[in-house]
Amino acid sequence: MRQSKLFGRTLREAPAEAQTPGHRLVLRAAIAKPLAAGLYTWLPLGFRVAKKVERIIRQEQNRIGAQEMEMPVLTPAEPWKQTGRWDALEPITFRTKDHNGREFMVSYTHEEFVHLHAMQETQSYKQMPQIVYHFQSKGRDEARPRAGLLRLREFVMKDAYSFDVDQAGLEKSYAAEHEAYARTFERMGLDAISVESDTGAMGGDIAHEFQVLTEVGEDRIAICSNCDYRANLEKATRYIEGGSARADGVPARSAIATPGTESIEALEASLGQPGDAFLKTLLFRDQSRKVVAVVLPGDRDVNEAKLRKALATGEVKFASDADFVEAGAVPGYIGPIGLKTRVLVDHGVGARPYIAGANKKDVHFRDVVLGRDFEGERVDASDVREGDLCPKCKVGRLTIKRGVEVGNIFAYGTYYSDKMNATFVAEDGTRRPFFGGSYGIGLERAVQTIIETHHDDKGIVWPPQVAPYHAHVIALPMNDEDVRTKAEALVAKLETSGVEVLYDDRDESAGVKFADADLIGIPLRVTVSKRNLKENAVELKLRTAAESEMVPHGSAVDRIAEIVASWPR
RNA sequence: CGGGGCGUAGCGCAGCUUGGUAGCGCGCAGCGUUCGGGACGCUGAGGUCGAGAGUUCAAGUCUCUCCGCCCCGACCA
């Protein structure tokens, strides 16, 4: 490919909108360009990368026996309504109608439709297990697209779906996908770790996310310093030391005057006690508008994802003033004693005396003890934080890092087949629901994450397996007849021997060409110049290397082909 | 959705406070010189100043409304 004809120009300065290093490079190196918020066009260089990433994913899916197919982007409303997701997904999906008024959704995922197909194509237990997958555009009207290709409103997802006869079969398929994912990310140069994740509104038990740890990530991951425990903060728990504290012999609770102290911080200051000496009580409303109180240690924050799960609701909101009145609570002085609502008590609240609001203005109680002074359902509804004890090994400390979710796998079991009555004939002749799982990888996000984690201050440093080209041939200067002839002959020979070449045939200065080569980040730079040809040599330089290698002009093709062949594919 | 910031040439920005000929750098086109780390000279093209309404003799600049883009948070397989 002649660079003078390349559709896509490099930029010396990045557009102001680009904030993360990777986003700036996507724009500067002509990988992709925005059309609107969260809607990007792949330029030719980026498209080649996308196709290579896609190829790796495809090979690893095929390796575990998954079969590629393709379902439409536009999907009819009925199956969505059947599973309840037509309404649930309303805020974040694109919809349209045809000329007869029939409703469609730009697909968010394809569980509903792959189940419809499975019912038709897979009628007997003899045909299972099955895994099918496709690469297809997904539409999500994200409130906040960000960081270039990291969070888009339209993107290509590889989504795979497994169908098994029972839970044991599902777990096998799940394990196969888990291994395929580990290989897939490793092959594309992503250092992804598998973490436990929340299963969200879809229920189900087993779910993992593949996270790449980087500062640009949107998720927060708790990681044990000692064992292999890793979990998304939405799901992470902690080990709580118990037993030592005793509530026996605690004097009866007594009121203390606390005028004007309406926050834990204010109480800490005026009473000289640490945050965990207090109980924090928060009022929420769930989706069905029921008010619920959550009692936490004063130094902990509520974790909304866990709270939603505990309440089995899709949404929680902070309660209104009217809710406070109804609950018999006073803002700023709320406590668990005497509340006229359902009360949840976080598992971090121990068997010891606390200071808590008295539900009376300017008054708190001291020596409030769970089980004696108030009761509540025990739940885990608080955030973990740095330094908490690992729930698995109980000795390691948790650290929290940011991560990008490049893929996830999810065993949802019969969630969809139950709602859709999707069944097969089992060995005993009865009809049984499919046990399913879904497995997704976001293509654009994977590319963006590769760039975020593979660059230096000069530009992208592509892992060879996904680089847009293998070699970047630079002719210098372009107006030298001998240089041009030899460079073009070299390019032609390389291409015949299967090396993918970007040929910088532009009449630009050496500085511009080298700077662009560093920016675009093709793994091997090949310089054919007047200076080198005087020595009858060609210069080879790996993007990752500081030093270059001079090879005789006559053996350049073989040497380059040898280097390229040594790279992982 | 809450909070904040920004919209002036393809990109980066100044001009707005105090209304009066729309500018700079990069890039782009032509010619010439140069040719191993973002060269130089000359010439040139390129603007509904995000949109609409208003105030004014006069609006990039002041007022109002709307739109777009970015960041933090919330939300989101």
Side-chain angles (χ1 to χ4, degrees), chain A residues 246-289:
Chain A
R246 297 285 304 251
D248 302 351
V250 174
R253 70 171 188 260
S254 55
I256 44 179
T258 52
T261 35
E262 304 195 345
S263 68
I264 299 283
E265 291 74 31
L267 286 164
E268 285 178 43
S270 73
L271 298 179
Q273 298 273 339
D276 66 359
F278 302 92
L279 287 180
K280 179 187 286 184
T281 306
L282 301 167
L283 276 193
F284 292 93
R285 311 175 65 141
D286 70 7
Q287 219 165 8
S288 57
R289 309 175 61 80

Side-chain angles (χ1 to χ4, degrees), chain A residues 45 127 278 290 315 473 521 568:
Chain A
L45 282 178
Q127 294 167 274
F278 302 92
K290 284 204 197 83
E315 177 179 45
V473 173

